[in-house]
């Protein structure tokens, strides 16, 4: 029987994770089935228990369960502890929780897009779970500064308290705090709500959105309108975090270039996609 894995989320229908993991598995000659697993906050614990009893060996965890899922882990990696969230669960003796989102982002930025982080001035817009998940791995790259700009200033300040060395400002203040080498959009506003963004000249700034497809479109359009040096969505981060989860489960590092190219073509022709 094939080994079972899956991504737990709500909603989860749009997830590209099954396609990515089946690509990796075929490439590595591993027999597995990767499912989309829908749950609710009320049912999460019971659902997880049921899937574990059915013999699932690993899960990816996506919105809105990344923080909830930490409560059911027997052990947590350093990344998951720092993020206060897991995106990867591994059945190995007990249930081990890990977080590959931040490392996946760093790999995509530095390896695929050639964006250097060491000694650079970074701005992150948003102070929710997505930002908490990436701060530790970004700080490890030794940037010169990380500024967190948020609509609700107190949430940015709370992150600064947890991640010494970062600084906070309001959403309207950040242009005065620059210049920045890299601007990362990490709010959950998506394409349905618009964030008030200033008109700026950003010719020396790389811009990156953690989401992809339609959810990333307004920020990337704004970045292009500002003349940004580059405007990139988070599709590569999605593929890289999946590759790191795959390595946790199977002990092998898959090649990510073919599936990235395949999804790039797919996503560019389908603007209904969201972040995973
Ligand atoms: P999660 O933790 O799941 O990522 P969240 O806690 O709701 O989600 O955080 C979402 C982030 O997007 C927050 O930084 C939020 O700003 P606030 O802290 O002020 O709520 C930000 N966000 C969402 N919608 C936004 C909008 N329309 N304009 C500006 N920021 C927005």
């Amino acid at each position: 029987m094939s080994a079972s894995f899956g991504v737990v989320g709500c909603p989860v229908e749009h997830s590209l994770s099954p396609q990515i993991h089946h690509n990796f598995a075929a490439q590595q000659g591993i027999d597995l089935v990767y499912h989309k697993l829908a749950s609710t906050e009320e049912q999460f614990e019971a659902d997880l228990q049921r899937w574990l009893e059915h013999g699932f060996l690993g899960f990816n965890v996506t919105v809105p369960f990344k923080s909830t899922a930490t409560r059911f882990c027997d052990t947590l990696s350093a990344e998951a502890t720092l993020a206060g969230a897991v995106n990867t669960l591994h059945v190995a003796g007990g249930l081990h929780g890990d977080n590959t989102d931040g490392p996946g982002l760093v790999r995509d930025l530095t390896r695929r897009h050639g964006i250097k982080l060491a000694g650079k001035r970074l701005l992150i817009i948003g102070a929710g779970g997505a930002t908490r998940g990436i701060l530790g791995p970004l700080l490890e790259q030794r940037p010169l500064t990380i500024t967190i700009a948020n609509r609700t200033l107190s949430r940015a300040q709370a992150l600064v308290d947890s991640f010494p060395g970062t600084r906070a400002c309001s959403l309207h203040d950040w242009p005065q705090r620059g210049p920045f080498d890299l601007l990362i959009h990490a709010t959950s506003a998506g394409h349905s709500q618009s964030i008030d963004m200033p008109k700026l000249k950003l010719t020396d700034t790389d811009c990156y959105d953690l989401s992809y497809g339609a959810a990333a479109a307004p920020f990337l359009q704004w970045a292009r309108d500002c003349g940004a040096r580059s405007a990139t969505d988070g599709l590569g981060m999605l593929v890289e975090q999946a590759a790191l989860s795959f390595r946790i489960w199977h002990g092998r590092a898959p090649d990510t270039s073919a599936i990235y190219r395949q999804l790039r073509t797919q996503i560019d022709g389908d603007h209904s996609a969201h972040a995973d």
Side-chain angles (χ1 to χ4, degrees):
M1 210 175 76
S2 306
S4 292
F5 295 82
V7 55
V8 192
C10 183
V12 79
E13 297 77 40
H14 67 273
S15 176
L16 297 174
S17 292
Q19 194 179 340
I20 298 172
H21 280 276
H22 286 140
N23 173 285
F24 291 162
Q27 180 199 117
Q28 297 290 324
I30 292 172
D31 184 22
L32 64 81
V33 181
Y34 188 104
H35 303 263
K36 292 177 190 175
L37 305 167
S39 190
T40 62
E41 286 285 2
E42 299 72 36
Q43 280 298 310
F44 182 82
E45 183 174 8
D47 284 340
L48 184 61
Q49 194 54 43
R50 188 163 42 84
W51 292 321
L52 289 169
E53 280 162 14
H54 277 95
F56 275 70
L57 297 178
F59 304 88
N60 283 123
V61 182
T62 187
V63 176
F65 304 120
K66 289 186 183 190
S67 155
T68 309
T70 59
R71 290 197 271 121
F72 307 109
C73 295
D74 299 302
T75 53
L76 287 176
S77 70
E79 283 80 9
T81 304
L82 209 53
V86 295
N87 79 333
T88 307
L89 298 175
H90 184 206
V91 179
L95 190 62
H96 177 67
D98 212 323
N99 197 320
T100 65
D101 284 332
L105 169 66
V106 168
R107 282 165 74 110
D108 188 47
L109 284 169
T110 57
R111 298 190 190 183
R112 179 169 289 107
H113 300 293
I115 295 172
K116 292 188 176 57
L117 297 170
K120 301 296 180 185
R121 297 156 298 185
L122 274 50
L123 175 78
I124 304 176
I125 300 178
T131 300
R132 181 173 282 277
I134 60 174
L135 276 171
L138 286 175
L139 280 165
E140 267 177 27
Q141 300 298 307
R142 305 253 171 256
L144 185 64
T145 54
I146 297 186
T147 305
I148 304 163
N150 199 44
R151 180 174 61 180
T152 311
L153 180 59
S154 59
R155 293 190 77 192
Q157 273 158 347
L159 282 181
V160 168
D161 292 341
S162 303
F163 293 90
T166 59
R167 47 183 85 170
C169 69
S170 78
L171 209 48
H172 300 291
D173 264 0
W174 69 260
Q176 289 83 56
R177 307 293 180 104
F180 298 102
D181 302 296
L182 172 63
L183 216 149
I184 298 175
H185 179 228
T187 81
S188 57
H191 63 292
S192 50
Q193 308 159 56
S194 62
I195 298 194
D196 205 9
M197 295 292 269
K199 288 272 168 285
L200 293 172
K201 197 159 156 273
L202 291 177
T203 40
D204 295 324
T205 306
D206 293 302
C207 291
Y208 190 98
D209 195 312
L210 296 187
S211 56
Y212 60 85
F219 174 77
L220 296 182
Q221 188 55 55
W222 168 83
R224 288 186 200 104
D225 291 345
C226 295
R229 183 162 52 197
S230 68
T232 309
D233 74 359
L235 184 66
M237 173 183 174
L238 175 73
V239 172
E240 296 306 324
Q241 63 78 30
L244 292 168
S245 298
F246 189 93
R247 195 171 70 183
I248 289 168
W249 295 329
H250 308 292
R252 309 217 201 136
D255 178 64
T256 56
S257 50
I259 187 67
Y260 176 77
R261 279 197 304 274
Q262 186 182 319
L263 291 174
R264 182 82 277 159
T265 311
Q266 202 173 305
I267 293 304
D268 289 349
D270 168 16
H271 282 288
S272 65
H274 297 265
D276 210 294

